[in-house]
């Protein structure tokens, strides 16, 4: 049973990591467009909630992995 918990946690962590990569690529794309300061700030502010959500997802996934390993 705990092996399943580890795999579920790993899948959740990978999903969070993909979200972080998406956030990084989104901001890099905005920087390459040579936007003015206000427009770039707006892009970063729009990406921030997704970034925090992806970090939370990665953290929860890693917690599931640790719990599965310790209890398994």
């Amino acid at each position: 049973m705990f092996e399943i918990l580890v795999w579920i946690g790993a899948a959740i962590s990978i999903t969070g990591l993909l979200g972080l990569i998406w956030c990084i690529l989104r901001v890099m794309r905005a920087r390459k467009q040579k936007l003015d300061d206000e427009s770039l700030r707006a892009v970063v502010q729009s990406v921030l909630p997704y970034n925090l959500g992806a970090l939370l997802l990665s953290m929860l996934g890693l917690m599931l992995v640790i719990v599965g390993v310790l209890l398994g």
Side-chain angles (χ1 to χ4, degrees):
M1 177 183 155
F2 293 111
E3 183 178 331
I4 294 172
L5 191 65
V6 170
W7 284 107
I8 290 171
I12 291 173
S13 291
I14 289 173
T15 303
L17 180 64
L18 291 174
L20 288 171
I21 291 170
W22 176 83
C23 291
I24 291 169
L25 292 176
R26 176 72 178 106
V27 172
M28 284 177 56
R29 201 175 318 130
R31 287 184 69 194
K32 284 184 181 179
Q33 290 178 353
K34 305 279 187 198
L35 299 175
D36 61 344
D37 191 41
E38 289 299 318
S39 299
L40 186 59
R41 188 178 309 254
V43 170
V44 171
Q45 285 178 350
S46 69
V47 170
L48 183 66
Y50 296 109
N51 190 11
L52 292 175
L55 283 172
L56 177 68
L57 211 58
S58 293
M59 182 193 68
L60 290 176
L62 289 175
M63 286 173 62
L64 283 175
V65 169
I66 290 171
V67 167
V69 168
L70 289 178
L71 295 178

